[in-house]
């Protein structure tokens, strides 16, 4: 009979789990160290983003660029069961990795017949064929991270362990799938000892829910945050380097509470509890997102936070979807099923960081001063070489602003120039603009992403590495760093200087555009910082507080082009 969780803490000291140190000396030998050490790849934009815009200008000058075939694509291998309803399992893993910009290969351990009502049947894959699948992928495809889901037999757990010893990877993420979201048993008690002895000591992180944690610890139900902390500590003693106990089923909790433990520190991670039936596959997707972020070079805690934000955003976006008649519906990983733009032939293509090269930001007061309309200003900036445009019209009323935004889109789209709206999510939605730029005090990026969907561009103003890290975790596409120099366009704006800009760029996982007081006299100094992630400059007064916008834009574009050509 199961002991209580508190009692099991005392018993665990004498329990016959295999020695952790023995496993770390042998089976963990294929990991580089107890701390992850990944090459820093892309994180938030697309799998093709690797270098500053310097390469963009050179590309147009027939200069050599890095062959795409030489770039390492982050790669996750998921070892899990197939879900015929496509809400969980292999299908959820594939969708998650696609949403996070990571390549995902698969090893199928079982075929399940399931839908939104539950699991109707399971057909386990023969162990020798699981071995063959593992060998095919691991021997050829440079896998970074392996993520496990449904492992329905002790033999499959063993062949996975043997395959990982033969073909080392950087990290193993174990989601100990035993019970589906709908309550169906997917792995019996006989497999528990294999999990404890074969798999947990090899894991970089395990992600059990409350039922799975109780089963692994052979204890009674966990129903408090303190119980989750104790469970995480006990599970850590079984060998994994990190433990995330998921509290989605925690009774009487207004928040979704997870406990992360790295062997030294506890982190209580809270997010809003989304009221929806569409929660099928949340556990699979969370673990897959962690694996994807690790494959891209994230630290463990950062990967966990990104994954938790990803799930919250997807659930919120999908809360009213109606797929199936059962009690557990799937959610939309890609945030596309409600999109109004699926058949829009004028939809802007995916964001390219190189578009930040010369970022023109309009100003209503300057346009009024020079007696020009917003459309005239935008048309002139594009003619002069602007690569992206933001409408920052603080003084325009909503109706006029909306009509102006629609008119500016008609100007931008034929040239392939993205048009973003400053702050006003409502204007961006109503005009079908290409995205928005928000500040630290505006609507949080995660909520903006939920409203706009995955295809829109979201930029956020940042002054510190912490701001940049948060922007990346929340799903921004780029950051605007500044003010680099003093400016009159914003009151009480603290300048960061070139040193502050450099610090943010070096710590950012997103492309950066410098902003604030930049003009013809100092644009070269900014681009000559020679720092990764710096893609270009955003300019306001030096373009729009001038009599001839096109001429001034041409001048600054020439300075930037010359600067990056000299650097190369």
């Amino acid at each position: 009979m199961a002991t209580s969780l508190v009692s099991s803490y005392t018993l665990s000291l004498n329990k016959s789990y295999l020695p952790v140190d023995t496993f770390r000396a042998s089976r963990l030998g294929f990991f580089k160290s107890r701390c992850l050490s990944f090459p820093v790849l892309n994180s938030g934009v697309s799998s093709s983003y690797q270098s500053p815009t310097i390469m963009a200008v050179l590309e147009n000058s027939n200069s050599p660029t890095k062959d795409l075939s030489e770039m390492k694509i982050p790669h996750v291998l998921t070892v899990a069961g197939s879900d015929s309803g496509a809400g969980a399992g292999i299908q959820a893993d594939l969708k998650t990795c696609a949403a996070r910009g990571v390549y995902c290969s698969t090893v199928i351990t079982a075929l399940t017949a399931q839908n939104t009502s539950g699991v109707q049947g399971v057909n386990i894959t023969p162990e020798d064929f699981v071995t063959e699948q593992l060998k095919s992928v691991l021997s050829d495809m440079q896998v970074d991270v392996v993520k496990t889901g449904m492992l329905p037999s002790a033999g499959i757990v063993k062949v996975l362990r043997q395959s990982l010893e033969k073909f080392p990877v950087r990290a193993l993420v174990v989601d100990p799938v035993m019970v589906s979201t709908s309550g169906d048993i997917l792995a019996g008690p006989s497999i528990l000892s294999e999990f404890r002895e074969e798999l947990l000591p090899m894991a970089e992180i395990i992600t059990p829910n409350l039922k799975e944690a109780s089963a692994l610890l052979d204890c009674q139900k966990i129903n408090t945050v303190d119980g989750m902390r104790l469970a995480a500590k006990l599970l850590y003693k079984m060998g994994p380097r990190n433990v995330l106990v998921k509290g989605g089923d925690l009774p009487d909790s207004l928040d979704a509470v997870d406990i992360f433990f790295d062997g030294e520190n506890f982190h209580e991670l809270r997010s809003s509890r989304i009221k929806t039936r569409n929660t099928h596959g949340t556990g699979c997707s969370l673990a897959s997102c962690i694996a994807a972020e690790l494959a891209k070079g994230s630290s463990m805690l950062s990967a966990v936070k990104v994954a938790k934000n990803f799930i919250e955003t997807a659930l919120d976006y999908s809360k009213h979807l109606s797929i199936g008649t059962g009690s557990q519906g799937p959610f939309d990983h890609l945030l596309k099923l409600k999109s109004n733009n699926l058949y829009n032939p004028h939809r802007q293509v995916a964001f390219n960081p190189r578009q930040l090269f010369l970022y023109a930001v309009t100003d209503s007061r300057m346009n009024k001063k020079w007696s020009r309309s917003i459309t005239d200003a935008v048309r002139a900036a594009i003619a002069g070489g602007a690569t992206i445009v933001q409408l920052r019209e603080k003084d325009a009323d909503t109706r006029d602003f909306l009509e102006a935004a629609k008119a500016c889109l008609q100007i931008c789209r034929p040239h392939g120039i993205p048009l973003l709206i400053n702050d006003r999510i409502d204007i961006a939605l109503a005009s079908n603009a290409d995205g928005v730029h928000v500040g630290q005090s505006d609507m949080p990026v995660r909520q903006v992403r939920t409203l706009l969907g995955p295809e829109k561009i979201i930029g956020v103003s940042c002054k510190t590495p912490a701001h940049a890290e948060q922007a990346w975790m929340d799903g921004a596409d780029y950051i605007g760093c500044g003010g680099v120099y003093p400016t009159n366009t914003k009151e009480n704006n603290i300048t960061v200087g070139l040193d502050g800009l450099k610090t943010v760029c070096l710590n950012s996982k997103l492309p950066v555009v410098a902003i604030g007081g930049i003009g013809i006299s100092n644009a070269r100094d900014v681009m000559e910082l020679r720092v990764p992630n710096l893609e270009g400059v955003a300019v306001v007064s030096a373009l729009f507080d001038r009599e001839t916008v096109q001429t001034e834009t041409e001048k600054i574009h020439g300075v930037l082009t010359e600067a990056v050509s000299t650097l190369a």
Side-chain angles (χ1 to χ4, degrees):
M1 185 172 179
T3 63
S4 70
L5 179 59
V6 175
S7 300
S8 70
Y9 181 77
T10 303
L11 294 173
S12 67
L13 297 177
N14 298 316
K15 211 161 185 175
S16 58
Y17 303 132
L18 295 185
V20 171
D21 290 341
T22 301
F23 275 103
R24 285 176 181 155
S26 58
R27 292 177 183 171
L28 294 179
F30 61 85
F31 293 108
K32 289 185 176 180
S33 67
R34 184 172 177 82
C35 297
L36 288 174
S37 177
F38 291 90
V40 178
L41 301 175
N42 71 300
S43 299
V45 184
S46 70
S47 59
S48 62
Y49 175 63
Q50 294 287 330
S51 59
T53 296
I54 291 173
M55 303 309 296
V57 175
L58 296 179
E59 187 175 273
N60 294 328
S61 305
N62 297 319
S63 296
T65 59
K66 184 176 179 65
D67 188 340
L68 290 177
S69 65
E70 299 177 9
M71 294 166 55
K72 175 66 175 73
I73 305 299
H75 185 163
V76 170
L77 166 61
T78 172
V79 183
S82 172
D83 173 1
S84 58
I90 287 285
Q91 288 82 353
D93 298 339
L94 287 167
K95 288 183 280 189
T96 299
C97 288
R100 300 308 302 172
V102 170
Y103 186 80
C104 184
S105 54
T106 63
V107 167
I108 298 177
T109 59
L111 299 177
T112 71
Q114 60 179 300
N115 53 27
T116 60
S117 297
V119 179
Q120 292 79 46
V122 177
N123 191 339
I124 298 175
T125 307
E127 293 165 16
D128 58 349
F129 193 65
V130 172
T131 302
E132 190 171 349
Q133 292 179 77
L134 285 164
K135 182 179 179 181
S136 292
V137 177
L138 291 171
S139 66
D140 173 62
M141 300 183 71
Q142 295 181 299
V143 173
D144 295 301
V145 179
V146 169
K147 177 262 177 186
T148 70
M150 180 184 179
L151 302 176
S153 73
I156 288 178
V157 175
K158 288 182 179 180
V159 299
L160 173 61
R161 186 259 300 168
Q162 292 167 355
S163 296
L164 290 177
E165 289 180 339
K166 186 174 181 180
F167 302 104
V169 296
R170 290 190 178 127
L172 173 64
V173 175
V174 174
D175 182 24
V177 176
M178 297 174 190
V179 182
S180 71
T181 308
S182 58
D184 295 285
I185 303 299
L186 299 177
S190 63
I191 302 173
L192 286 174
S193 62
E194 299 299 330
F195 263 93
R196 296 179 186 128
E197 298 175 6
E198 301 283 350
L199 213 56
L200 299 195
M202 301 179 75
E204 196 68 41
I205 185 171
I206 61 171
T207 62
N209 60 29
L210 298 183
K211 293 178 182 178
E212 291 158 353
S214 295
L216 287 169
L217 293 170
D218 191 24
C219 69
Q220 293 178 352
K221 185 177 180 180
I222 301 169
N223 53 22
T224 66
V225 173
D226 287 341
M228 292 171 65
R229 286 174 175 263
L230 185 53
K233 194 170 185 178
L234 292 172
L235 289 169
Y236 179 81
K237 290 179 179 293
M238 296 183 186
R241 291 168 174 163
N242 300 273
V243 178
L244 180 70
V245 178
K246 301 174 295 190
D249 296 326
L250 194 67
D252 304 322
S253 175
L254 298 177
D255 298 326
V257 185
D258 298 335
I259 297 296
F260 175 77
F261 182 58
D262 61 8
E264 296 182 1
N265 299 306
F266 286 98
H267 297 268
E268 189 173 303
L269 307 176
R270 291 180 176 267
S271 62
S272 301
R273 185 178 291 277
I274 309 298
K275 294 182 179 180
T276 178
R277 64 181 278 274
N278 299 322
T279 58
H280 184 47
T282 49
C284 305
S285 303
L286 181 78
S288 293
C289 189
I290 292 172
E293 297 306 314
L294 292 178
K296 293 191 288 187
S298 299
S299 67
M300 181 60 74
L301 180 58
S302 179
V304 170
K305 288 180 177 179
V306 168
K308 190 168 176 66
N309 288 344
F310 171 76
I311 296 299
E312 181 186 8
T313 299
L315 287 179
D316 189 48
Y317 177 86
S318 309
K319 59 188 175 185
H320 298 307
L321 292 180
S322 180
I323 300 175
T325 59
S327 61
Q328 296 287 339
F331 61 94
D332 180 9
H333 299 71
L334 301 175
L335 311 185
K336 287 189 175 183
L337 295 181
K338 298 192 301 181
S339 174
N340 293 322
N341 300 320
L342 289 177
Y343 304 105
N344 182 355
H346 302 294
R347 183 176 58 195
Q348 177 68 28
V349 296
F351 171 61
N352 186 336
R354 295 169 177 176
Q355 293 167 323
L356 299 173
F357 185 61
L358 178 48
Y359 192 139
V361 183
T362 69
D363 186 282
S364 56
R365 289 167 293 183
M366 295 175 190
N367 288 331
K368 184 177 181 180
K369 172 183 175 181
W370 293 98
S371 300
R372 68 169 72 96
S373 65
I374 299 175
T375 52
D376 287 341
V378 169
R379 188 178 289 107
I382 291 175
T387 55
I388 188 170
V389 174
Q390 179 191 138
L391 299 186
R392 190 169 72 184
E393 300 295 316
K394 300 293 186 180
D395 298 332
D397 66 45
T398 297
R399 186 182 297 275
D400 291 343
F401 194 1
L402 176 58
E403 293 307 312
K406 291 179 178 178
C408 288
L409 274 171
Q410 297 302 314
I411 297 169
C412 292
R413 288 277 162 84
H415 298 278
I417 303 296
L419 180 74
L420 275 59
I421 308 297
N422 180 265
D423 295 349
R424 298 288 299 272
I425 315 301
D426 56 336
I427 298 294
L429 284 169
S431 66
N432 193 28
D434 297 306
V436 297
H437 185 94
V438 295
Q440 289 294 316
S441 60
D442 296 324
M443 182 183 291
V445 170
R446 277 185 292 156
Q447 293 181 18
V448 176
R449 179 62 73 195
T450 299
L451 291 170
L452 296 186
E455 296 179 345
K456 299 299 185 182
I457 303 167
I458 300 178
V460 58
S461 299
C462 298
K463 291 183 181 292
T464 67
H467 287 165
E469 178 77 6
Q470 190 64 49
W472 168 68
M473 290 195 297
D474 287 348
D477 293 298
Y478 75 90
I479 63 174
C481 182
V484 179
Y485 301 104
T487 176
N488 295 323
T489 59
K490 283 193 175 182
E491 297 180 359
N492 303 317
N493 188 36
I494 300 173
T495 58
V496 300
L498 290 175
D499 288 340
L501 172 63
K502 182 176 181 179
T503 299
V504 169
C505 287
L506 290 172
N507 287 276
S508 177
K509 296 182 178 70
L510 294 174
V512 180
V513 60
I515 189 169
I518 298 173
I520 194 76
S521 64
N522 54 28
R524 175 184 288 274
D525 295 335
V526 173
M527 297 308 294
E528 287 181 346
L529 282 177
R530 299 173 181 259
V531 287
N533 302 316
L534 180 59
E535 290 290 337
V537 300
V539 186
V540 188
S541 300
L543 297 185
F544 298 105
D545 198 11
R546 300 291 188 274
E547 183 176 3
T548 309
V549 174
Q550 179 175 340
T551 300
E552 298 304 319
T553 308
E554 289 172 347
K555 289 179 181 178
I556 293 182
H557 191 281
V559 169
L560 296 175
T561 302
E562 183 180 347
V564 297
S565 298
T566 302
L567 290 176

